[in-house]
Amino acid sequence: MAEAVITDDLMPASVEELVEAILSEMTLEEKAGQLNSVDASNPTPSERIGDDIRAGRVGAVLNQVELHEVCALQHIALEETRLGVPLLFSRDVIHGFNTVFPLPIGQASSWNPDMVREGARIAAAEAAATGVRWTFAPMVDISRDARWGRIAESLGEDPYLASVLGAAMVKGFQGDDLSAPGSIAACVKHYAGYGASEAGRDYAATTIADNEMRNVYLPPFKAAADAGAATFMTSFGDIDGVPATGNDYLINGILRGEIGFEGLMISDWDSIGQLIIHGFCEDPTEAAKVAAEAGVDMDMMSSAFVDCLPALVREGQMDEAVLDTMARRVLTLKFKLGVVDDPYADLHRDGTPPVKDALAAAQRAAAESMVLLKNKNDVLPLNFDALESLAVIGPLADQPEDQMGTWVFDGEAERSITPATAFKAALDGRAEVKFVPALTHSRDTNTAQIRHAVDAALKSDAVVLCLGEEAILSGEAHSRADITLPGAQVELARAIKATGKPVIGVILAGRPLALTNVENCFDALIYAWHPGSMGGPALVDLVSGAVAPSGKLPVSFPVSVGQIPIHYNHKNSGRPAEPHNVVHIDDIPVGAGQTSLGMSSFHLDDGYQPLYPFGHGLSYTQFDYGPVTVSAPGFAAGETLTVECELSNTGERDGVEVVQLYIRDRAGSLTRPVRELKAFRRVALKAGETTIVRFELTEADLAFSRRDKSFGAEPGLFDVWVGGDSTTQNGAHFRLTSAT
Ligand code: BGC
């Protein structure tokens, strides 16, 4: 029975005092119990884990969102344990809950932190209404490898973009007050370097040099910590021989020591147990000690903490202060979320937005996440008033589940409106819509139905061809070595192209696909990622021109898988490739002797440029950039440099341009990338309108982790460019004359 340490008359003033009051009452076992997070996903969790909860061996619970079960489990914790400390309920709320927003990689294509924040806020409110108070998101792992299935969950290849958007997600989930209705704790994952797993094979080990870790992989984690993220999660990875979950240098050293993160660190699923499988620890006792001493506070699913930490302390092998710190962090989170004061809180304080508003937000997000990769002869937008018939073809055109994408446990497929349904609804009474899937799913190799699709195309004014990958082909443990369109989709695309009708390709996928073998089949190409519940209506908005496309790629699209990893912010090498020093394999005479042709950094067959660069994305209008000017040839630490350029919408339609500012530090104590994104802004301009886009740069924008590991800028010459993608040549120079 609960001795009710947590009672009103005991209520001291601060969270710290409340936490200390409970902590001082706890046995070693009860402290360790708070560190244990267990799965409750089966239908009758109270039977399976009820006794563990009663015994004080459970601090948090994953994956239960049935109200009566949530309440039953919470009831056990409150009424049938000695101290009555409530449980914390967690769930992977990755890109929406009941209403599904675009995949994170899709949201990143919007370059719109306000939208990202709003999506997370809506997801949080929907989740909180089922008792979930903690999500395992955002994932801010920098991803430069499209083979890696979890690129779908990422915010792309760029440290700055991922920093801005990851911080926005944290703010959306947590709101201004963690204990407010509809707020849930964020968990920034996977700390750190998980996205660099070798060959894009999930869970594979990697070697990341310290300079690269600090300058590429860690910035988004720092940004999320600075945004107030309550919790972090370790990665499954092995970084240079030290698994992330036992990595004292990364967690205690950098995250807590240098970045100053004071919140809670949870392991990934059984990643403490996996320290043994990695070959880093011999048994659960050693794994528990290593993880705890490295800075992990909570154990997801290995039970090593609850099983081993009390004995380790009792036998003098681990300091009790370490255990206290861990339990203190768990209890502090529970207080800050308000679950101690009101353990059933969000179940009766409904902060859930109306479904209609959530769907409208998901539709706006989906439209902003779609990237117009090409638009030959301005085939888009289609004039719906002049259309008599439209063919909607392809295995992804009517898949309510697949369009939601990976990591969807709670998304309601009934809320999904597919492209096939949306085009029929939009053109109802105006034009005939012929829908032919042609292939039953993305991996289908049976070509028998393609002729029906060809028939439909021949009888239509235009074709919307929805290809891609099913949701199950990306996400955790779903890496691919071949990232071309699977099944007979290329054959389908070629057959449709051969009809001569205008073909609007739409790719629904969880990763950048290698599209070289199919790209010429499309007159226009929209990369829709997995766009979520409202993918269909959002696509109609774009195709009809009701909404102007504004998405820009957050990752480089490779010509072929052999180019991977390919990213815009690479180092220069001593022999950079340029158009004049690149040779194509077909141009080398058979029997040619050793030749000095080229001698630069490229592939003989696929050159050195991506198919579509980072930052690329078209609109239905043209944006012209005037020359870049800087307010002074140089500036010193403490001063500000203004960079500006004129932006004109010279086309005939209104549009939104994502203006991007890149810099290059010409020489550093460590070699610097050829370009780095440092600022961006979404600018809406009416047809014919001109504006001045102005950015302010300070020394902080030029800072990096230097050779001596200190963080700061270095005086010297810099390039700065402002343009519509990462290849812009529209630039100027300036000098930083002093640095702190
Ligand atoms: C994933 C995490 C996730 C956790 C809980 C793990 O397998 O790597 O990202 O949050 O499971 O579902």
Side-chain angles (χ1 to χ4, degrees):
M1 278 303 114
E3 282 175 19
V5 164
I6 308 166
T7 59
D8 284 346
D9 46 318
L10 266 186
M11 285 293 182
S14 68
V15 166
E16 288 74 23
E17 286 167 314
L18 289 163
V19 168
E20 293 313 318
I22 302 181
L23 205 56
S24 64
E25 296 288 323
M26 286 181 147
T27 63
L28 291 178
E29 279 71 18
E30 283 165 338
K31 289 175 191 170
Q34 285 301 308
L35 316 179
N36 196 27
S37 173
V38 303
D39 180 48
S41 61
N42 76 339
T44 52
S46 34
E47 281 169 28
R48 192 167 51 87
I49 58 171
D51 285 346
D52 274 344
I53 299 174
R54 268 177 211 103
R57 285 173 54 85
V58 180
V61 162
L62 289 87
N63 293 337
Q64 184 51 252
V65 293
E66 291 300 329
L67 271 188
H68 62 281
E69 289 298 347
V70 167
C71 292
L73 295 171
Q74 192 66 298
H75 190 265
I76 298 175
L78 293 171
E79 307 299 333
E80 300 179 46
T81 64
R82 194 177 74 87
L83 298 178
V85 180
L87 296 169
L88 188 50
F89 291 87
S90 62
R91 183 69 152 174
D92 289 275
V93 182
I94 307 296
H95 53 110
F97 192 71
N98 306 121
T99 308
V100 179
F101 281 71
L103 285 175
I105 188 88
Q107 294 189 38
S109 307
S110 75
W111 298 51
N112 186 348
D114 295 337
M115 181 280 274
V116 169
R117 186 169 51 226
E118 185 188 23
R121 192 78 206 136
I122 290 170
E126 289 184 351
T130 72
V132 172
R133 300 306 313 284
W134 186 13
T135 176
F136 299 130
M139 182 183 110
V140 297
D141 295 310
I142 294 301
S143 308
R144 295 167 158 185
D145 193 328
R147 292 170 297 185
W148 191 47
R150 301 197 81 166
I151 196 170
E153 288 173 65
S154 83
L155 298 167
E157 76 186 27
D158 183 65
Y160 179 74
L161 183 62
S163 295
V164 173
L165 300 181
M169 244 183 226
V170 167
K171 289 187 178 141
F173 287 130
Q174 298 193 165
D176 299 328
D177 171 8
L178 266 185
S179 69
S183 285
I184 63 179
C187 184
V188 187
K189 66 190 190 183
H190 303 84
Y191 190 78
Y194 183 36
S197 58
E198 256 178 27
R201 237 177 22 253
D202 208 5
Y203 314 128
T206 187
T207 304
I208 303 176
D210 203 54
N211 148 34
E212 180 130 326
M213 180 61 96
R214 287 168 177 274
N215 283 311
V216 176
Y217 293 94
L218 294 186
F221 287 98
K222 176 173 187 321
D226 292 347
T231 76
F232 270 52
M233 184 189 293
T234 61
S235 127
F236 284 128
D238 165 343
I239 322 291
D240 200 14
V242 183
T245 302
N247 205 312
D248 173 64
Y249 172 66
L250 281 179
I251 306 173
N252 280 336
I254 299 184
L255 184 63
R256 298 206 193 277
E258 297 180 29
I259 296 178
F261 174 66
E262 290 178 352
L264 178 146
M265 174 66 86
I266 187 168
S267 77
D268 202 345
W269 188 286
D270 189 34
S271 67
I272 298 177
Q274 289 167 18
L275 292 175
I276 303 164
I277 306 172
H278 276 293
F280 194 65
C281 297
E282 279 198 357
D283 53 32
T285 303
E286 189 187 358
K289 178 172 155 64
V290 163
E293 289 182 345
V296 179
D297 304 306
M298 194 172 230
D299 175 352
M300 188 195 294
M301 293 305 294
S302 92
S303 81
F305 277 180
V306 70
D307 290 343
C308 310
L309 292 185
L312 277 165
V313 172
R314 207 164 269 129
E315 288 159 16
Q317 293 181 56
M318 198 182 94
D319 200 336
E320 185 169 357
V322 177
L323 182 59
D324 284 350
T325 302
M326 298 158 81
R328 188 175 285 124
R329 291 198 182 114
V330 176
L331 293 170
T332 302
L333 180 62
K334 290 183 177 180
F335 273 103
K336 285 192 173 162
L337 281 164
V339 293
V340 181
D341 291 347
D342 194 355
Y344 301 101
D346 274 59
L347 310 183
H348 54 74
R349 295 183 310 178
D350 190 11
T352 326
V355 173
K356 213 167 142 231
D357 293 355
L359 289 173
Q363 181 169 342
R364 286 194 300 275
E368 289 189 4
S369 74
M370 295 182 184
V371 186
L372 181 64
L373 293 178
K374 78 185 252 196
N375 193 16
K376 208 167 77 188
N377 304 326
D378 290 337
V379 63
L380 283 178
L382 291 181
N383 180 354
F384 273 24
D385 293 329
L387 268 189
E388 286 181 6
S389 55
L390 180 72
V392 177
I393 292 172
L396 268 301
D398 196 28
Q399 300 290 350
E401 293 276 355
D402 283 318
Q403 78 177 39
M404 292 195 289
T406 186
W407 271 125
V408 170
F409 294 136
D410 306 286
E412 292 166 0
E414 315 80 69
R415 290 195 193 187
S416 283
I417 303 179
T418 65
T421 304
F423 278 105
K424 279 184 200 150
L427 289 166
D428 189 31
R430 298 159 78 181
E432 191 194 350
V433 174
K434 299 187 189 65
F435 165 54
V436 185
L439 303 166
T440 54
H441 53 83
S442 72
R443 288 166 290 156
D444 191 356
T445 52
N446 181 349
T447 55
Q449 301 298 315
I450 290 184
R451 62 195 168 86
H452 298 304
V454 168
D455 264 6
L458 287 170
K459 291 183 191 132
S460 301
D461 298 330
V463 181
V464 173
L465 182 56
C466 297
L467 306 175
E469 284 182 331
E470 299 144 75
I472 197 68
L473 297 189
S474 58
E476 184 176 353
H478 291 78
S479 298
R480 292 182 67 202
D482 173 0
I483 55 165
T484 56
L485 278 171
Q489 295 187 84
V490 174
E491 210 170 328
L492 170 63
R494 288 182 182 151
I496 299 301
K497 167 72 180 163
T499 64
K501 298 289 179 168
V503 183
I504 295 133
V506 180
I507 307 284
L508 294 95
R511 60 163 58 76
L513 292 170
L515 297 170
T516 309
N517 61 348
V518 71
E519 199 245 357
N520 65 2
C521 297
F522 311 120
D523 297 285
L525 180 56
I526 295 175
Y527 216 83
W529 308 102
H530 287 134
S533 308
M534 296 302 278
L539 185 62
V540 169
D541 285 344
L542 254 55
V543 169
S544 67
V547 173
S550 59
K552 299 273 190 179
L553 293 179
V555 277
S556 309
F557 270 46
V559 169
S560 68
V561 78
Q563 283 189 323
I564 292 173
I566 184 164
H567 47 96
Y568 84 94
N569 44 4
H570 58 85
K571 299 292 182 70
N572 207 26
S573 89
R575 292 185 165 181
E578 287 169 27
H580 68 87
N581 60 17
V582 169
V583 182
H584 192 265
I585 194 165
D586 295 341
D587 297 332
I588 303 176
V590 174
Q594 180 66 42
T595 160
S596 64
L597 271 181
M599 291 303 229
S600 71
S601 182
F602 68 100
H603 289 113
L604 281 175
D605 35 16
D606 287 333
Y608 65 100
Q609 282 162 329
L611 184 63
Y612 297 111
F614 177 86
H616 171 71
L618 305 171
S619 183
Y620 292 151
T621 188
Q622 279 75 51
F623 292 104
D624 284 357
Y625 285 82
V628 175
T629 58
V630 288
S631 54
F635 76 114
E639 294 176 355
T640 299
L641 183 81
T642 305
V643 180
E644 57 182 44
C645 90
E646 212 173 73
L647 177 71
S648 306
N649 178 346
T650 55
E652 277 156 22
R653 291 176 164 270
D654 301 349
V656 175
E657 170 75 333
V658 179
V659 179
Q660 303 157 39
L661 181 147
Y662 296 89
I663 63 142
R664 177 175 180 185
D665 185 346
R666 284 286 188 90
S669 57
L670 292 166
T671 57
R672 311 299 306 127
V674 294
R675 285 195 178 203
E676 294 176 86
L677 181 72
K678 287 294 173 186
F680 62 86
R681 191 168 309 144
R682 289 172 61 86
V683 181
L685 283 187
K686 301 222 169 297
E689 201 184 343
T690 293
T691 190
I692 306 277
V693 185
R694 194 169 287 124
F695 296 99
E696 312 260 88
L697 289 182
T698 66
E699 182 199 9
D701 296 306
L702 313 177
F704 65 103
S705 172
R706 298 175 285 209
R707 191 161 176 190
D708 63 2
K709 297 196 201 315
S710 64
F711 189 77
E714 291 176 345
L717 183 62
F718 288 78
D719 298 297
V720 59
W721 297 270
V722 179
D725 69 39
S726 60
T727 66
T728 179
Q729 296 301 321
N730 188 34
H733 313 293
F734 64 87
R735 216 166 241 293
L736 181 68
T737 52
S738 69
T740 44

